[in-house]
Amino acid sequence: MEEKKKFKLHMPHVLTLIFFLIIVVAILTWILPSGEFERKVMETSAGERSVAVAGTYHSVDKVLEDGTNLRQGIAQVLMAPGKGIQQMVEVLAFVFIIGGVFQIMAKTNALNMGIQKIVKKLGAKEILIIPILMVLFGLGGSTFGMSDELIPFYLLIMPIMFAMGYDSMTTFMTVCLSATVGYAASTVNPFCVLIAQGIAGIQGNPQLVFRMLQFVIMMAFVTWRAFKIKKNPEKSITYQDDLLKKKEMNTDIDFNQEMTIRQKLVLLTFVIGMVIVVVGLVKNGWYMNELSMCFLGMGILMGIFGGMNETEIAEEFINGVKDIAFAAMVIGFCSGIMVIAQDGMIIDTILNALSGLVEKSNNVVFSAVMYVVQSLLTLLVPSSSGLAALSMPIMAPLCDLHGVNPEVAVTALQYGNQLTNLMSPVAGTTVAGLAICKISFGQWWKTIWKMFLIMAVIAIVFCTISA
């Protein structure tokens, strides 16, 4: 007698989920009334923008005078992803170039060697290793969206932490927590802040200095928390498990391997390039094309300094584009949701309803609502770039209607997305890191939940100031 297969709940693929949302929004175009706000071009702290005028919302017939039916059907649903990709072509071009450039950098192994060099130089001053590594990983998250690149560092750093008497939880927090918080407190992260601002129509980076301050505050808090945890390693929730891990762990790391001149030049190129990006954003209001120009130049120079020939540079660039293609498709498909909503003219209807809910709220309540909404959406769309494509077309105009700085939508996206991913079982980077460190989600949640609540409150404060 054959055994019946047990029914297992599983999270659908993110593209399946987004396509399902396209269908849902198409159904809503048959249910919700269509309508629109009057719009005007005005100068804001985020540059010149076309904004909705509060109080001007009016309904529109489902069939326009020219015969256009605003109810979206099967044909429109199937065309939506393609139209979404077309609408986001400038952002997608930037994403593809970024993917290629960072693959070239990864191929040179300059970043890995840089970390090993720092650990070796510190020697007996082991107390400095944790804050230095946390700041470096935090900067990686804040500047270039360091996330999937974290995987090899768990294997590199865990033996070092064990040798110094620390636990696997300290390893995970040093690598994942610092990079994630740095990602949340993004300064010029192309996969978060720059994409979100681009979709919202915000040129330059008006709150860059404030974002730098957020990074310093968050990293100081996280580093202090790590020091607190490591004072009594025997009280660690993973202490007994770590005794077994130490026996299984391969602690052979060649710290005598010298960093080459080429690798030093690659890192120097990256640092100089990021300085140019910051200056361009602040002084010249750079947008996607200028940023693509700068990053592509960095990639070519890093490839040359890394000793790669033109064929190798091109091949690595293509490999990077392949790796980032999924993220790009997520952005395009998410944009398809907005295509359906725009063609059905229900976006302003939704905006009008949301605006009514928060109409009399102060900035604190408004910011908290935006943060909570982004946190909930992250459970469906963990990708920061995909979430930006999904939510910013709604959130930025909502800020205009409420009369607050649209940068609050970007700040809410940053923290809502990354702090939720820190706790989410569908966040790939968090799941992978815990698996490598052999830490269960139960152990992680018990360790982090109080700190998570504190960081969420801090994030809402940042959102309020941003507004």
Side-chain angles (χ1 to χ4, degrees):
M1 185 176 177
E2 292 185 7
E3 292 185 9
K4 291 183 178 180
K5 290 184 178 180
K6 292 183 179 180
F7 176 75
K8 291 183 179 179
L9 286 173
H10 72 281
M11 191 72 177
H13 192 281
V14 66
L15 288 183
T16 305
L17 188 60
I18 294 170
F19 192 73
F20 173 73
L21 291 175
I22 290 175
I23 295 172
V24 170
V25 174
I27 293 172
L28 289 178
T29 64
W30 291 72
I31 300 172
L32 297 180
S34 297
E36 61 183 349
F37 284 101
E38 293 179 9
R39 281 176 164 75
K40 66 179 180 179
V41 177
M42 63 181 293
E43 193 71 29
T44 70
S45 59
E48 194 176 82
R49 292 166 47 82
S50 174
V51 300
V53 180
T56 63
Y57 174 81
H58 57 277
S59 60
V60 175
D61 291 335
K62 285 294 182 182
V63 180
L64 302 180
E65 291 182 1
D66 62 2
T68 302
N69 192 337
L70 299 181
R71 301 178 184 91
Q72 305 295 291
I74 295 175
Q76 287 74 27
V77 166
L78 294 175
M79 286 191 286
K83 286 185 175 181
I85 291 170
Q86 293 168 37
Q87 280 196 1
M88 299 296 292
V89 65
E90 193 175 26
V91 172
L92 295 181
F94 176 60
V95 170
F96 281 128
I97 287 174
I98 286 291
V101 168
F102 283 120
Q103 176 59 31
I104 293 171
M105 184 182 181
K107 184 66 176 179
T108 66
N109 202 34
L111 198 58
N112 287 7
M113 289 303 300
I115 296 290
Q116 289 190 32
K117 189 74 172 176
I118 290 170
V119 172
K120 180 183 176 183
K121 277 191 174 286
L122 286 173
K125 298 176 183 177
E126 61 180 46
I127 194 67
L128 298 176
I129 289 179
I130 290 178
I132 289 176
L133 288 179
M134 293 190 83
V135 169
L136 287 175
F137 286 125
L139 283 171
S142 183
T143 56
F144 67 91
M146 191 177 195
S147 182
D148 294 335
E149 301 87 350
L150 296 173
I151 300 301
F153 290 106
Y154 295 108
L155 298 174
L156 172 67
I157 292 172
M158 191 179 292
I160 299 170
M161 292 298 180
F162 280 160
M164 293 190 299
Y166 306 140
D167 62 349
S168 56
M169 188 65 76
T170 303
T171 300
F172 183 74
M173 293 182 73
T174 299
V175 180
C176 185
L177 182 60
S178 54
T180 302
V181 170
Y183 202 121
S186 291
T187 50
V188 291
N189 181 348
F191 301 107
C192 188
V193 167
L194 300 186
I195 284 181
Q197 289 180 334
I199 294 171
I202 301 172
Q203 296 195 8
N205 198 330
Q207 294 189 354
L208 180 59
V209 174
F210 178 49
R211 296 188 195 289
M212 290 177 177
L213 179 61
Q214 292 174 39
F215 173 78
V216 172
I217 292 172
M218 276 297 201
M219 288 310 302
F221 176 72
V222 169
T223 305
W224 167 79
R225 184 68 177 86
F227 272 126
K228 222 180 147 189
I229 284 178
K230 76 180 182 62
K231 279 183 179 178
N232 298 301
E234 69 280 359
K235 293 182 180 180
S236 166
I237 196 170
T238 62
Y239 183 73
Q240 292 299 324
D241 295 336
D242 289 343
L243 296 177
L244 181 60
K245 295 174 194 174
K246 290 175 184 178
K247 294 179 182 179
E248 299 174 348
M249 180 69 63
N250 177 18
T251 59
D252 294 331
I253 301 173
D254 185 10
F255 287 106
N256 294 318
Q257 187 179 357
E258 289 296 325
M259 193 174 185
T260 66
I261 294 294
R262 289 189 178 280
Q263 289 170 332
K264 292 178 181 178
L265 287 173
V266 169
L267 287 180
L268 181 62
T269 301
F270 175 72
V271 171
I272 293 174
M274 293 309 298
V275 170
I276 293 173
V277 166
V278 170
V279 172
L281 286 167
V282 174
K283 296 291 185 182
N284 304 318
W286 278 5
Y287 203 52
M288 291 297 169
N289 288 334
E290 291 83 1
L291 292 172
S292 296
M293 166 196 72
C294 191
F295 278 104
L296 183 57
M298 287 166 56
I300 293 170
L301 288 177
M302 286 191 290
I304 293 171
F305 291 147
M308 301 163 65
N309 59 41
E310 53 87 17
T311 301
E312 290 172 328
I313 292 174
E315 287 178 347
E316 290 304 323
F317 184 86
I318 294 300
N319 288 335
V321 170
K322 290 177 183 176
D323 291 341
I324 207 71
F326 171 68
M329 286 301 100
V330 168
I331 295 173
F333 270 58
C334 282
S335 182
I337 298 173
M338 292 303 110
V339 167
I340 292 291
Q342 286 168 349
D343 290 350
M345 296 183 70
I346 62 171
I347 286 184
D348 284 3
T349 301
I350 297 171
L351 279 175
N352 187 53
L354 290 173
S355 180
L357 289 174
V358 295
E359 183 178 7
K360 296 180 181 179
S361 66
N362 57 34
N363 283 357
V364 176
V365 174
F366 181 79
S367 301
V369 169
M370 294 202 86
Y371 173 81
V372 171
V373 169
Q374 294 288 17
S375 298
L376 294 174
L377 287 175
T378 296
L379 296 174
L380 301 177
V381 186
S383 164
S384 60
S385 53
L387 184 60
L390 173 66
S391 64
M392 291 308 292
I394 293 286
M395 295 302 185
L398 183 60
C399 292
D400 296 329
L401 287 171
H402 197 67
V404 300
N405 193 326
E407 279 276 16
V408 66
V410 180
T411 305
L413 167 74
Q414 292 173 222
Y415 287 103
N417 177 255
Q418 287 303 301
L419 295 187
T420 300
N421 278 341
L422 201 60
M423 304 288 285
S424 173
V426 297
T429 302
T430 303
V431 171
L434 288 172
I436 293 172
C437 294
K438 296 183 179 179
I439 298 172
S440 71
F441 252 102
Q443 290 174 324
W444 172 235
W445 283 334
K446 287 179 182 177
T447 301
I448 198 67
W449 73 268
K450 290 180 182 178
M451 183 179 177
F452 171 80
L453 293 178
I454 295 172
M455 287 193 296
V457 172
I458 295 173
I460 292 173
V461 171
F462 287 151
C463 290
T464 304
I465 296 171
S466 187

